[in-house]
Amino acid sequence: MIIELTGIPGAGKTTMARELVARHGYVYVECNTLFMPGDAQQRGLLRWIVRPIAEMRGLLSAVGGLVTSSTYRTLLREMFHLLETNRCGFFNKVNIVRNTLHKIAAHRTLDRRRATVHIVDEGFTHLPQSLLVDGAPPDIVALKRSIARLVSALPMPSILVILDIDRQTATTRVAARGHRRFGGCTEVITAHLENAQLVATLSAEEFARLHGDDDHKILSFLPEGNQAGRDPIDVIAATMESITCSR
């Protein structure tokens, strides 16, 4: 079973994933490195030897998924449709395609391991952030339409965790990371997070509209705690236990 975490940069996704692993023994999965041996992720030279092989394994798995699943084909079709109108750069588009194929390969692999609970940081449900924050449609109506089309095509996890956070805290955290994408410029970070928060809000509304009453559980709260004062880690674990018991 899969728990996916999504939210704007700096929302605390990775921190929450580590907490879930440490306290409940769930398995953390990074889509881009799923097919790499664990030691190869740590060793410099070995990493560069093994990485092309892992990339090929992931690509072959993704192709297998596209051949056998109309869900993945629909997703890829919607992704390319959005990329046609997206104003981001060519290499950014290539990276989005590559990452999406990694997500397909990872989702297909994890779907066969249903006895284990996997934590996926930035899985399928994070694609609205990847596709629509940079180079998003210029008006809110077009953006809502794009989000609705994309969300309707996304395979859903057992639990979707949406993390929210105030923009100032997110800006401070992202700036502290020194990401070269932003060049340390607070204005650039702030503008990116403003777009990211808009996309996240609209996506959360669409997820709730489409999947709020079905078998998929959607949890939304601040990383520091939800409005009821309960620990988010305990909320997620209790939700996963209820899903497991009902199956």
Side-chain angles (χ1 to χ4, degrees):
M1 289 183 283
I2 299 174
I3 301 173
E4 284 194 12
L5 309 179
T6 186
I8 68 173
K13 299 183 293 297
T14 303
T15 300
M16 179 171 282
R18 289 171 179 164
E19 277 290 305
L20 285 164
V21 170
R23 289 166 55 177
H24 295 284
Y26 300 154
V27 177
Y28 179 70
V29 173
E30 201 172 354
C31 293
N32 290 351
T33 59
L34 179 62
F35 293 93
M36 289 184 67
D39 57 349
Q41 297 182 39
Q42 306 297 327
R43 301 177 188 174
L45 181 59
L46 181 60
R47 178 185 178 91
W48 292 110
I49 295 173
V50 173
R51 188 182 185 104
I53 300 174
E55 289 274 355
M56 183 58 65
R57 287 181 62 200
L59 178 60
L60 290 174
S61 179
V63 170
L66 291 170
V67 169
T68 59
S69 171
S70 61
T71 300
Y72 296 143
R73 292 196 295 272
T74 300
L75 168 61
L76 209 64
R77 186 165 56 247
E78 289 300 326
M79 180 199 69
F80 280 117
H81 171 78
L82 289 175
L83 284 178
E84 286 178 4
T85 57
N86 193 298
R87 293 169 290 149
C88 67
F90 172 76
F91 288 106
N92 194 8
K93 291 182 179 182
V94 170
N95 198 44
I96 289 172
V97 173
R98 172 181 170 271
N99 288 340
T100 302
L101 291 175
H102 276 300
K103 294 180 198 303
I104 290 174
H107 191 278
R108 186 168 178 247
T109 300
L110 299 182
D111 202 43
R112 302 193 195 105
R113 305 174 184 173
R114 298 189 179 183
T116 303
V117 178
H118 298 91
I119 309 295
V120 179
D121 182 357
E122 301 187 0
F124 280 133
T125 52
H126 197 71
L127 277 175
Q129 288 283 317
S130 303
L131 280 163
L132 296 170
V133 172
D134 294 327
D139 64 89
I140 191 70
V141 175
L143 179 59
K144 286 182 176 180
R145 190 183 304 118
S146 296
I147 287 174
R149 287 189 59 165
L150 181 59
V151 169
S152 67
L154 295 176
M156 288 291 289
S158 302
I159 300 176
L160 169 59
V161 178
I162 303 173
L163 299 183
D164 194 9
I165 194 169
D166 67 275
R167 200 179 304 160
Q168 183 56 52
T169 302
T171 300
T172 302
R173 290 179 178 178
V174 173
R177 294 174 187 170
H179 200 298
R180 61 184 181 183
R181 175 182 183 181
F182 304 114
C185 179
T186 303
E187 290 78 11
V188 175
I189 295 173
T190 301
H192 177 86
L193 290 178
E194 184 176 353
N195 291 339
Q197 207 152 39
L198 174 61
V199 170
T201 300
L202 296 176
S203 299
E205 292 173 357
E206 194 63 24
F207 280 123
R209 186 182 73 82
L210 290 176
H211 303 289
D213 297 324
D214 60 15
D215 294 334
H216 308 287
K217 305 299 182 182
I218 301 175
L219 305 176
S220 180
F221 36 61
L222 294 168
E224 291 77 12
N226 65 9
Q227 293 178 350
R230 294 182 63 191
D231 182 354
I233 304 299
D234 291 339
V235 173
I236 295 169
T239 304
M240 177 52 69
E241 186 175 352
S242 70
I243 293 173
T244 304
C245 292
S246 66
R247 292 185 175 180

